Amino acid sequence: DQQVKQNSPSLSVQEGRISILNCDYTNSMFDYFLWYKKYPAEGPTFLISISSIKDKNEDGRFTVFLNKSAKHLSLHIVPSQPGDSAVYFCAASAISSGGSNYKLTFGKGTLLTVNP
Amino acid sequence: GAVVSQHPSRVICKSGTSVKIECRSLDFQATTMFWYRQFPKQSLMLMATSNEGSKATYEQGVEKDKFLINHASLTLSTLTVTSAHPEDSSFYICSADPGGGAWETQYFGPGTRLLVL
């Protein structure tokens, strides 16, 4: 059962417009949410995060919104740039089943293409 | 920024052989390293958490005798897939945490593509 879901495998937007990437989760124990960006042949790189006690976090062109009641978060990129084209992973943090560490649960990712 | 390397980037092996994958933090010390597995069009799935000098903590459903993890130093963790079979073919990716408790400091390697024939 997928606890973190990114239902859109791909998204295409025009340069300068807003990109909105969505993520839903089912586990109410998640207390921290992160977005990672991944280029081909590279590992994911951290982009932005939000604690469950907040509903918005902004960093430059990137804003993450969290709606706890709906168990939904979204990443807004504005204005979108061609260099933003990559796979974006949503991840959620909770204590691992081993009990001694936090662990990340990832969504399947959304491929964002920003067209010039 | 901090760099994590993995070696090899790709490996093809025969069924029944063992394969070792190395994960190194190049410019920082990592108290904790994580091993993930990703099937095509699927999520990154955490396999185990490795703390330097102690035994790895495996997630439910991951066979610890099948996937041997060693974290002998603060800059190196290894994953050995023992007696590999075709169903072990996957993309394996590690991450390293320098500590401090902030999740954004988890740095990922580029991954290793394993194909078992």
Side-chain angles (χ1 to χ4, degrees):
Chain A
D1 182 35
Q2 189 109 28
Q3 295 188 56
V4 177
K5 299 178 184 178
Q6 292 178 257
N7 293 318
S8 297
S10 63
L11 175 68
S12 183
V13 299
Q14 284 299 119
E15 180 178 6
R17 298 291 186 100
I18 185 172
S19 296
I20 300 176
L21 298 117
N22 294 304
C23 178
D24 298 291
Y25 63 96
T26 57
N27 189 344
S28 58
M29 298 302 291
F30 289 140
D31 57 2
Y32 200 72
F33 303 89
L34 309 92
W35 284 93
Y36 283 86
K37 179 179 180 180
K38 184 180 183 305
Y39 292 115
E42 294 182 14
T45 55
F46 168 76
L47 195 58
I48 193 169
S49 62
I50 189 167
S51 165
S52 59
I53 62 173
K54 294 186 175 182
D55 55 18
K56 178 182 175 181
N57 187 26
E58 189 172 352
D59 183 3
R61 296 186 297 114
F62 303 91
T63 303
V64 56
F65 295 92
L66 175 62
N67 182 334
K68 280 188 66 178
S69 60
K71 293 191 173 66
H72 176 84
L73 65 154
S74 61
L75 173 68
H76 292 211
I77 306 173
V78 57
S80 301
Q81 299 173 353
D84 296 329
S85 298
V87 176
Y88 288 78
F89 288 97
C90 169
S93 169
I95 294 196
S96 74
S97 57
S100 58
N101 289 98
Y102 280 90
K103 75 168 193 178
L104 293 180
T105 302
F106 284 83
K108 292 184 181 181
T110 297
L111 173 62
L112 173 66
T113 302
V114 180
N115 300 304
Chain B
V3 179
V4 175
S5 70
Q6 276 185 246
H7 178 78
S9 57
R10 292 173 181 265
V11 57
I12 301 174
C13 68
K14 292 183 179 180
S15 186
T17 60
S18 293
V19 175
K20 180 186 280 189
I21 302 169
E22 293 186 348
C23 177
R24 292 181 185 272
S25 55
L26 297 184
D27 50 3
F28 65 98
Q29 293 184 327
T31 54
T32 306
M33 287 184 169
F34 303 85
W35 286 96
Y36 295 83
R37 182 175 180 176
Q38 185 182 24
F39 291 107
K41 298 184 180 179
Q42 299 297 316
S43 314
L44 285 163
M45 299 294 294
L46 180 65
M47 299 174 66
T49 302
S50 169
N51 291 298
E52 187 266 339
S54 63
K55 289 184 179 180
T57 302
Y58 289 81
E59 294 302 302
Q60 282 187 337
V62 178
E63 300 175 58
K64 57 184 68 177
D65 294 330
K66 173 78 172 174
F67 299 98
L68 300 179
I69 291 171
N70 184 279
H71 192 162
S73 78
L74 287 171
T75 60
L76 173 64
S77 176
T78 61
L79 167 68
T80 302
V81 183
T82 62
S83 186
H85 290 284
E87 58 265 28
D88 299 322
S89 299
S90 190
F91 186 66
Y92 294 87
I93 190 164
C94 73
S95 69
D97 182 356
W103 276 105
E104 52 264 47
T105 57
Q106 191 176 147
Y107 300 101
F108 283 83
T112 297
R113 178 77 58 191
L114 170 63
L115 177 61
V116 184
L117 302 176

